[in-house]
Amino acid sequence: QVQLQESGPGLVKPSETLSLTCTVSGGSISTHYWNWIRQPPGKGLEWIGYIYYSGRTNYNSSLRSRVTMFLDMSKNQFSLKLTSVTAADTAVYYCARDVRGADNFDLWGQGTLVTVSS
Amino acid sequence: QSVLTQPPSASGTPGQRVTISCSGSSSNIGSNTVNWYQQFPGTAPKLLIYSNNQRPSGVPDRFSGSKSGTSASLAISGLQSEDEADYYCASWDDSLNGYVFGSGTKVTVL
């Protein structure tokens, strides 16, 4: 079955760039909407944005100036870059699939904790 | 501050029925479907209810969802100890052009 797995550094310094990758196994990335969602420790969920298999993106307006997402079809991966991070960006970051867009997240990765600290 | 409003907590004894509310607006719940996610500590959320009232394969039928106007509800009938978790509602918001989540409700089985 299709599985998602996040990877990337667990510690990022303030003002630097957070970079994460989600590897899709058991299925192709060349369809559906691929999302990033985060959850600060002890808090609720926040949608970061999605990238469609065509490459079209849509980002949360509160993060738009700092977020970039892209696909790597050859590796069946999609990635997130978040620039100029602060302690407020410390969170568990999840990748998730939305089959039809503006619909629901039917498949999630296990999540990866990223801490912003010097 | 979340766009969708949920009570922070709900509780019940085993076998009871518990209901969680989710209040939104015309730009989200009022014009789009509502989904519910269940999350246990230290694990990723799991899709529990989609399209207002549909259960994915494997979700027990004691979980049910409903929507009316700009509000939605999740009901757990025959509450069990393993239902102790956090529950989040979510919907697409046409004004924000993005997904929005509720603040989450922690369900405790007494």
Side-chain angles (χ1 to χ4, degrees):
Chain A
Q1 72 278 21
V2 181
Q3 293 183 315
L4 280 59
Q5 177 69 58
E6 304 88 350
S7 60
L11 182 64
V12 181
K13 290 182 168 54
S15 80
E16 295 191 346
T17 297
L18 178 159
S19 296
L20 294 174
T21 294
C22 183
T23 300
V24 180
S25 59
S28 175
I29 200 175
S30 53
T31 185
H32 307 323
Y33 294 75
W34 303 98
N35 295 261
W36 288 97
I37 295 159
R38 70 180 183 178
Q39 184 173 35
K43 296 188 178 180
L45 300 164
E46 179 182 33
W47 175 72
I48 299 171
Y50 69 62
I51 182 163
Y52 190 41
Y53 76 94
S54 64
R56 178 169 62 88
T57 55
N58 183 14
Y59 304 142
N60 186 322
S61 58
S62 68
L63 298 168
R64 186 171 294 133
S65 63
R66 299 194 292 130
V67 170
T68 304
M69 296 182 186
F70 52 95
L71 296 167
D72 187 335
M73 295 290 194
S74 66
K75 295 182 180 178
N76 225 35
Q77 295 174 335
F78 62 103
S79 298
L80 166 71
K81 286 192 183 299
L82 182 66
T83 62
S84 305
V85 298
T86 68
D89 296 310
T90 294
V92 175
Y93 285 75
Y94 297 100
C95 55
R97 183 182 75 177
D98 174 0
V99 171
R100 297 185 295 181
D103 198 3
N104 62 73
F105 307 115
D106 68 327
L107 198 61
W108 296 66
Q110 65 183 31
T112 187
L113 175 63
V114 178
T115 301
V116 178
S117 175
S118 55
Chain B
Q1 191 169 349
S2 301
V3 174
L4 305 180
T5 301
Q6 297 180 237
S9 62
S11 63
T13 56
Q16 275 190 329
R17 175 184 172 92
V18 169
T19 301
I20 301 168
S21 61
C22 176
S23 178
S25 67
S26 58
S27 64
N28 41 66
I29 294 177
S31 49
N32 295 289
T33 59
V34 177
N35 308 301
W36 291 89
Y37 299 89
Q38 178 188 55
Q39 185 181 34
F40 296 106
T43 69
K46 166 193 160 187
L47 182 63
L48 188 69
I49 297 287
Y50 67 97
S51 296
N52 303 327
N53 55 18
Q54 302 298 302
R55 286 185 306 276
S57 174
V59 173
D61 60 5
R62 53 201 181 77
F63 291 95
S64 62
S66 64
K67 178 184 123 171
S68 179
T70 59
S71 294
S73 293
L74 172 71
I76 310 173
S77 302
L79 189 66
Q80 298 183 8
S81 58
E82 57 259 40
D83 299 332
E84 208 165 82
D86 293 324
Y87 294 84
Y88 293 90
C89 59
S91 183
W92 181 263
D93 191 295
D94 293 333
S95 295
L96 297 174
N97 194 33
Y99 293 99
V100 290
F101 286 96
S103 46
T105 299
K106 181 176 183 60
V107 170
T108 301
V109 181
L110 302 171

Short mmCIF file of all heavy atoms in Angstrom, two decimals, chain A residues 35 37 39 43-47 50 58 61 94 98 100-106 108-110, chain B residues 32-33 35 37 39 42-47 50-51 88 92 96-103:
data_model
loop_
_atom_site.label_atom_id
_atom_site.label_comp_id
_atom_site.label_asym_id
_atom_site.label_seq_id
_atom_site.Cartn_x
_atom_site.Cartn_y
_atom_site.Cartn_z
N ASN A 35 0.61 17.40 0.43
CA ASN A 35 0.51 18.46 1.42
C ASN A 35 1.56 18.38 2.51
O ASN A 35 2.08 17.30 2.81
CB ASN A 35 -0.87 18.40 2.10
CG ASN A 35 -2.02 18.69 1.18
OD1 ASN A 35 -2.54 19.81 1.15
ND2 ASN A 35 -2.43 17.69 0.40
N ILE A 37 1.73 19.65 6.60
CA ILE A 37 0.93 20.09 7.75
C ILE A 37 1.86 20.05 8.95
O ILE A 37 2.70 19.15 9.06
CB ILE A 37 -0.27 19.15 7.96
CG1 ILE A 37 -1.22 19.24 6.76
CG2 ILE A 37 -1.01 19.46 9.26
CD1 ILE A 37 -2.14 18.04 6.61
N GLN A 39 2.45 20.73 13.42
CA GLN A 39 1.81 20.74 14.73
C GLN A 39 2.84 21.11 15.78
O GLN A 39 3.67 20.27 16.17
CB GLN A 39 1.19 19.37 15.04
CG GLN A 39 0.41 19.31 16.32
CD GLN A 39 -0.32 17.99 16.48
OE1 GLN A 39 0.17 16.94 16.07
NE2 GLN A 39 -1.50 18.04 17.06
N LYS A 43 0.09 21.64 20.63
CA LYS A 43 -0.89 22.51 19.98
C LYS A 43 -1.59 21.79 18.83
O LYS A 43 -1.41 20.60 18.62
CB LYS A 43 -0.19 23.78 19.49
CG LYS A 43 0.37 24.61 20.63
CD LYS A 43 0.88 25.95 20.13
CE LYS A 43 1.40 26.79 21.28
NZ LYS A 43 1.91 28.12 20.83
N GLY A 44 -2.41 22.55 18.11
CA GLY A 44 -3.21 21.99 17.04
C GLY A 44 -2.50 21.93 15.70
O GLY A 44 -1.32 22.26 15.58
N LEU A 45 -3.25 21.51 14.68
CA LEU A 45 -2.71 21.31 13.34
C LEU A 45 -2.81 22.58 12.50
O LEU A 45 -3.79 23.32 12.59
CB LEU A 45 -3.50 20.18 12.66
CG LEU A 45 -3.46 18.83 13.36
CD1 LEU A 45 -4.56 17.93 12.83
CD2 LEU A 45 -2.10 18.17 13.16
N GLU A 46 -1.78 22.80 11.68
CA GLU A 46 -1.77 23.95 10.78
C GLU A 46 -1.37 23.47 9.38
O GLU A 46 -0.31 22.87 9.20
CB GLU A 46 -0.79 25.02 11.25
CG GLU A 46 -0.74 26.23 10.32
CD GLU A 46 0.28 27.27 10.75
OE1 GLU A 46 1.32 26.90 11.33
OE2 GLU A 46 0.04 28.47 10.51
N TRP A 47 -2.21 23.75 8.40
CA TRP A 47 -1.90 23.40 7.02
C TRP A 47 -0.87 24.39 6.48
O TRP A 47 -1.05 25.61 6.60
CB TRP A 47 -3.18 23.44 6.19
CG TRP A 47 -3.01 23.22 4.73
CD1 TRP A 47 -2.71 22.06 4.11
CD2 TRP A 47 -3.14 24.21 3.69
NE1 TRP A 47 -2.65 22.24 2.75
CE2 TRP A 47 -2.91 23.55 2.47
CE3 TRP A 47 -3.42 25.57 3.67
CZ2 TRP A 47 -2.96 24.21 1.23
CZ3 TRP A 47 -3.48 26.24 2.46
CH2 TRP A 47 -3.24 25.55 1.25
N TYR A 50 0.09 22.87 -0.37
CA TYR A 50 0.17 21.66 -1.17
C TYR A 50 0.87 21.93 -2.50
O TYR A 50 0.99 23.08 -2.94
CB TYR A 50 -1.21 21.04 -1.43
CG TYR A 50 -2.17 21.80 -2.34
CD1 TYR A 50 -1.88 22.05 -3.68
CD2 TYR A 50 -3.40 22.23 -1.85
CE1 TYR A 50 -2.77 22.71 -4.50
CE2 TYR A 50 -4.30 22.89 -2.67
CZ TYR A 50 -3.98 23.13 -4.00
OH TYR A 50 -4.87 23.80 -4.82
N ASN A 58 -0.06 25.81 -3.74
CA ASN A 58 -0.99 26.67 -3.00
C ASN A 58 -0.53 26.67 -1.56
O ASN A 58 -0.47 25.61 -0.92
CB ASN A 58 -2.43 26.15 -3.12
CG ASN A 58 -3.43 27.06 -2.44
OD1 ASN A 58 -3.12 28.21 -2.10
ND2 ASN A 58 -4.63 26.57 -2.21
N SER A 61 -1.63 31.45 3.47
CA SER A 61 -1.29 32.86 3.29
C SER A 61 -0.38 33.39 4.39
O SER A 61 0.42 34.30 4.18
CB SER A 61 -2.56 33.71 3.21
OG SER A 61 -3.34 33.53 4.39
N TYR A 94 4.26 17.02 9.14
CA TYR A 94 3.68 15.85 8.49
C TYR A 94 3.53 16.11 7.00
O TYR A 94 3.16 17.22 6.59
CB TYR A 94 2.28 15.55 9.03
CG TYR A 94 2.20 15.19 10.49
CD1 TYR A 94 1.82 16.13 11.45
CD2 TYR A 94 2.46 13.88 10.93
CE1 TYR A 94 1.71 15.80 12.79
CE2 TYR A 94 2.36 13.54 12.27
CZ TYR A 94 1.98 14.50 13.19
OH TYR A 94 1.87 14.16 14.51
N ASP A 98 -3.87 14.29 -0.44
CA ASP A 98 -5.27 14.65 -0.70
C ASP A 98 -5.55 14.19 -2.13
O ASP A 98 -4.97 14.73 -3.05
CB ASP A 98 -5.46 16.16 -0.54
CG ASP A 98 -6.86 16.62 -0.92
OD1 ASP A 98 -7.70 15.79 -1.31
OD2 ASP A 98 -7.10 17.84 -0.85
N ARG A 100 -8.24 14.35 -4.19
CA ARG A 100 -8.99 15.14 -5.17
C ARG A 100 -8.80 16.63 -5.05
O ARG A 100 -9.29 17.38 -5.88
CB ARG A 100 -10.49 14.79 -5.06
CG ARG A 100 -10.80 13.35 -5.40
CD ARG A 100 -12.30 13.10 -5.38
NE ARG A 100 -12.86 13.25 -4.05
CZ ARG A 100 -14.15 13.07 -3.77
NH1 ARG A 100 -14.99 12.74 -4.73
NH2 ARG A 100 -14.58 13.21 -2.54
N GLY A 101 -8.13 17.10 -4.01
CA GLY A 101 -7.96 18.54 -3.84
C GLY A 101 -9.12 19.16 -3.09
O GLY A 101 -10.27 18.85 -3.37
N ALA A 102 -8.80 20.02 -2.13
CA ALA A 102 -9.80 20.69 -1.29
C ALA A 102 -10.74 19.65 -0.69
O ALA A 102 -11.94 19.90 -0.50
CB ALA A 102 -10.60 21.71 -2.10
N ASP A 103 -10.19 18.49 -0.38
CA ASP A 103 -11.03 17.37 0.05
C ASP A 103 -10.62 16.90 1.45
O ASP A 103 -11.07 17.48 2.44
CB ASP A 103 -10.93 16.25 -0.97
CG ASP A 103 -12.06 15.25 -0.85
OD1 ASP A 103 -12.97 15.47 -0.01
OD2 ASP A 103 -12.05 14.25 -1.57
N ASN A 104 -9.84 15.86 1.54
CA ASN A 104 -9.42 15.37 2.86
C ASN A 104 -8.04 14.76 2.75
O ASN A 104 -7.55 14.47 1.66
CB ASN A 104 -10.42 14.35 3.41
CG ASN A 104 -10.52 13.12 2.54
OD1 ASN A 104 -9.62 12.28 2.51
ND2 ASN A 104 -11.61 13.00 1.80
N PHE A 105 -7.41 14.56 3.90
CA PHE A 105 -6.08 13.96 3.96
C PHE A 105 -6.25 12.49 4.35
O PHE A 105 -6.43 12.19 5.53
CB PHE A 105 -5.20 14.69 4.96
CG PHE A 105 -5.15 16.18 4.72
CD1 PHE A 105 -5.67 17.06 5.65
CD2 PHE A 105 -4.59 16.69 3.57
CE1 PHE A 105 -5.64 18.42 5.44
CE2 PHE A 105 -4.55 18.06 3.34
CZ PHE A 105 -5.08 18.93 4.28
N ASP A 106 -6.19 11.61 3.36
CA ASP A 106 -6.49 10.22 3.63
C ASP A 106 -5.25 9.41 4.01
O ASP A 106 -5.39 8.29 4.51
CB ASP A 106 -7.19 9.57 2.43
CG ASP A 106 -6.27 9.44 1.23
OD1 ASP A 106 -5.39 10.32 1.04
OD2 ASP A 106 -6.42 8.46 0.48
N TRP A 108 -1.20 9.85 5.74
CA TRP A 108 -0.25 10.72 6.42
C TRP A 108 1.09 10.00 6.62
O TRP A 108 1.12 8.77 6.78
CB TRP A 108 -0.77 11.10 7.81
CG TRP A 108 -2.02 11.91 7.85
CD1 TRP A 108 -3.26 11.52 7.44
CD2 TRP A 108 -2.16 13.24 8.35
NE1 TRP A 108 -4.17 12.54 7.65
CE2 TRP A 108 -3.52 13.60 8.21
CE3 TRP A 108 -1.28 14.16 8.91
CZ2 TRP A 108 -4.00 14.85 8.61
CZ3 TRP A 108 -1.76 15.40 9.31
CH2 TRP A 108 -3.12 15.73 9.15
N GLY A 109 2.16 10.78 6.65
CA GLY A 109 3.43 10.24 7.10
C GLY A 109 3.42 10.19 8.62
O GLY A 109 2.49 10.68 9.28
N GLN A 110 4.46 9.62 9.19
CA GLN A 110 4.50 9.48 10.65
C GLN A 110 4.87 10.79 11.34
O GLN A 110 4.65 10.93 12.55
CB GLN A 110 5.52 8.40 11.05
CG GLN A 110 6.96 8.75 10.70
CD GLN A 110 7.92 7.61 11.04
OE1 GLN A 110 7.56 6.44 10.98
NE2 GLN A 110 9.14 7.96 11.39
N ASN B 32 -18.41 23.91 2.12
CA ASN B 32 -17.55 22.77 1.82
C ASN B 32 -17.80 21.62 2.81
O ASN B 32 -18.42 21.83 3.84
CB ASN B 32 -16.08 23.19 1.89
CG ASN B 32 -15.72 24.21 0.82
OD1 ASN B 32 -15.65 23.89 -0.36
ND2 ASN B 32 -15.51 25.46 1.25
N THR B 33 -17.29 20.46 2.46
CA THR B 33 -17.50 19.31 3.34
C THR B 33 -16.57 19.37 4.54
O THR B 33 -15.55 20.06 4.54
CB THR B 33 -17.28 17.99 2.59
OG1 THR B 33 -15.94 17.96 2.09
CG2 THR B 33 -18.26 17.85 1.43
N ASN B 35 -14.35 17.20 7.47
CA ASN B 35 -13.65 15.95 7.77
C ASN B 35 -13.23 15.96 9.24
O ASN B 35 -13.04 17.02 9.84
CB ASN B 35 -12.40 15.82 6.90
CG ASN B 35 -12.72 16.01 5.43
OD1 ASN B 35 -13.52 15.28 4.86
ND2 ASN B 35 -12.10 17.01 4.81
N TYR B 37 -10.54 14.09 12.11
CA TYR B 37 -9.31 13.31 12.29
C TYR B 37 -9.17 12.94 13.76
O TYR B 37 -9.48 13.72 14.65
CB TYR B 37 -8.09 14.12 11.83
CG TYR B 37 -8.16 14.48 10.36
CD1 TYR B 37 -8.77 15.66 9.94
CD2 TYR B 37 -7.65 13.63 9.39
CE1 TYR B 37 -8.87 15.98 8.60
CE2 TYR B 37 -7.74 13.95 8.04
CZ TYR B 37 -8.36 15.12 7.66
OH TYR B 37 -8.46 15.42 6.32
N GLN B 39 -6.39 11.60 16.63
CA GLN B 39 -4.95 11.57 16.87
C GLN B 39 -4.64 11.08 18.27
O GLN B 39 -5.11 11.66 19.25
CB GLN B 39 -4.33 12.95 16.65
CG GLN B 39 -2.81 12.95 16.78
CD GLN B 39 -2.20 14.31 16.58
OE1 GLN B 39 -2.78 15.34 16.94
NE2 GLN B 39 -1.00 14.35 15.99
N GLY B 42 1.65 11.21 20.20
CA GLY B 42 2.86 10.76 19.55
C GLY B 42 2.67 10.11 18.19
O GLY B 42 3.63 9.59 17.62
N THR B 43 1.47 10.15 17.67
CA THR B 43 1.21 9.54 16.37
C THR B 43 0.58 10.55 15.41
O THR B 43 0.09 11.60 15.84
CB THR B 43 0.28 8.32 16.47
OG1 THR B 43 -1.03 8.76 16.84
CG2 THR B 43 0.79 7.32 17.51
N ALA B 44 0.59 10.21 14.13
CA ALA B 44 -0.01 11.08 13.12
C ALA B 44 -1.52 11.02 13.19
O ALA B 44 -2.10 10.01 13.59
CB ALA B 44 0.46 10.66 11.73
N PRO B 45 -2.19 12.10 12.81
CA PRO B 45 -3.65 12.05 12.72
C PRO B 45 -4.09 11.00 11.72
O PRO B 45 -3.37 10.65 10.78
CB PRO B 45 -4.02 13.46 12.23
CG PRO B 45 -2.87 14.31 12.64
CD PRO B 45 -1.66 13.44 12.49
N LYS B 46 -5.32 10.52 11.94
CA LYS B 46 -5.90 9.52 11.05
C LYS B 46 -7.28 10.01 10.62
O LYS B 46 -8.05 10.53 11.44
CB LYS B 46 -6.03 8.18 11.79
CG LYS B 46 -6.91 7.14 11.13
CD LYS B 46 -7.22 6.00 12.11
CE LYS B 46 -8.43 5.21 11.70
NZ LYS B 46 -8.84 4.20 12.70
N LEU B 47 -7.59 9.86 9.34
CA LEU B 47 -8.90 10.27 8.83
C LEU B 47 -9.98 9.39 9.44
O LEU B 47 -9.96 8.17 9.27
CB LEU B 47 -8.92 10.17 7.31
CG LEU B 47 -10.21 10.61 6.61
CD1 LEU B 47 -10.50 12.10 6.87
CD2 LEU B 47 -10.13 10.33 5.11
N TYR B 50 -15.08 11.56 6.58
CA TYR B 50 -14.87 12.46 5.46
C TYR B 50 -16.22 12.78 4.82
O TYR B 50 -17.21 12.08 5.04
CB TYR B 50 -13.89 11.87 4.44
CG TYR B 50 -14.40 10.65 3.70
CD1 TYR B 50 -14.98 10.77 2.44
CD2 TYR B 50 -14.29 9.37 4.26
CE1 TYR B 50 -15.44 9.66 1.76
CE2 TYR B 50 -14.75 8.25 3.59
CZ TYR B 50 -15.32 8.40 2.35
OH TYR B 50 -15.79 7.30 1.67
N SER B 51 -16.23 13.86 4.05
CA SER B 51 -17.46 14.30 3.38
C SER B 51 -18.64 14.36 4.35
O SER B 51 -19.73 13.84 4.06
CB SER B 51 -17.78 13.35 2.21
OG SER B 51 -16.78 13.43 1.23
N TYR B 88 -9.96 16.38 15.67
CA TYR B 88 -9.90 17.64 14.95
C TYR B 88 -10.89 17.65 13.79
O TYR B 88 -10.96 16.68 13.02
CB TYR B 88 -8.50 17.88 14.36
CG TYR B 88 -7.42 18.08 15.38
CD1 TYR B 88 -6.70 17.00 15.89
CD2 TYR B 88 -7.09 19.36 15.83
CE1 TYR B 88 -5.70 17.18 16.84
CE2 TYR B 88 -6.09 19.55 16.77
CZ TYR B 88 -5.41 18.46 17.26
OH TYR B 88 -4.41 18.65 18.19
N TRP B 92 -12.17 22.95 3.87
CA TRP B 92 -11.56 23.92 2.95
C TRP B 92 -12.25 25.26 3.18
O TRP B 92 -13.46 25.32 3.43
CB TRP B 92 -11.77 23.47 1.50
CG TRP B 92 -11.14 24.40 0.51
CD1 TRP B 92 -11.77 25.40 -0.17
CD2 TRP B 92 -9.78 24.43 0.10
NE1 TRP B 92 -10.88 26.05 -0.99
CE2 TRP B 92 -9.64 25.47 -0.85
CE3 TRP B 92 -8.65 23.67 0.42
CZ2 TRP B 92 -8.43 25.78 -1.47
CZ3 TRP B 92 -7.45 23.97 -0.19
CH2 TRP B 92 -7.34 25.01 -1.12
N LEU B 96 -9.98 31.96 2.39
CA LEU B 96 -8.55 31.81 2.63
C LEU B 96 -7.87 31.01 1.52
O LEU B 96 -6.65 31.01 1.40
CB LEU B 96 -8.31 31.13 3.97
CG LEU B 96 -8.80 31.87 5.21
CD1 LEU B 96 -8.63 31.01 6.46
CD2 LEU B 96 -8.06 33.20 5.37
N ASN B 97 -8.69 30.32 0.71
CA ASN B 97 -8.16 29.44 -0.34
C ASN B 97 -7.17 28.44 0.25
O ASN B 97 -6.05 28.24 -0.27
CB ASN B 97 -7.48 30.24 -1.45
CG ASN B 97 -7.23 29.41 -2.69
OD1 ASN B 97 -8.00 28.50 -3.01
ND2 ASN B 97 -6.15 29.69 -3.39
N GLY B 98 -7.60 27.80 1.34
CA GLY B 98 -6.74 26.80 1.98
C GLY B 98 -7.53 25.98 2.99
O GLY B 98 -8.70 26.26 3.26
N TYR B 99 -6.86 24.96 3.50
CA TYR B 99 -7.47 24.12 4.52
C TYR B 99 -7.42 24.81 5.88
O TYR B 99 -6.44 25.48 6.20
CB TYR B 99 -6.71 22.80 4.64
CG TYR B 99 -6.79 21.90 3.45
CD1 TYR B 99 -5.75 21.87 2.51
CD2 TYR B 99 -7.87 21.06 3.26
CE1 TYR B 99 -5.81 21.04 1.41
CE2 TYR B 99 -7.93 20.22 2.15
CZ TYR B 99 -6.90 20.21 1.23
OH TYR B 99 -6.96 19.39 0.15
N VAL B 100 -8.45 24.60 6.67
CA VAL B 100 -8.47 25.10 8.04
C VAL B 100 -8.85 23.96 8.98
O VAL B 100 -9.64 23.08 8.62
CB VAL B 100 -9.43 26.29 8.21
CG1 VAL B 100 -8.89 27.52 7.49
CG2 VAL B 100 -10.83 25.96 7.71
N PHE B 101 -8.26 23.99 10.14
CA PHE B 101 -8.51 22.97 11.16
C PHE B 101 -9.19 23.60 12.37
O PHE B 101 -9.04 24.80 12.62
CB PHE B 101 -7.19 22.35 11.64
CG PHE B 101 -6.55 21.41 10.66
CD1 PHE B 101 -5.55 21.86 9.81
CD2 PHE B 101 -6.92 20.07 10.61
CE1 PHE B 101 -4.93 20.99 8.92
CE2 PHE B 101 -6.31 19.20 9.73
CZ PHE B 101 -5.32 19.65 8.88
N GLY B 102 -9.91 22.76 13.11
CA GLY B 102 -10.39 23.17 14.41
C GLY B 102 -9.26 23.12 15.42
O GLY B 102 -8.17 22.59 15.13
N SER B 103 -9.51 23.64 16.60
CA SER B 103 -8.48 23.71 17.64
C SER B 103 -8.26 22.38 18.34
O SER B 103 -7.31 22.22 19.10
CB SER B 103 -8.88 24.77 18.67
OG SER B 103 -10.25 24.62 19.02
#
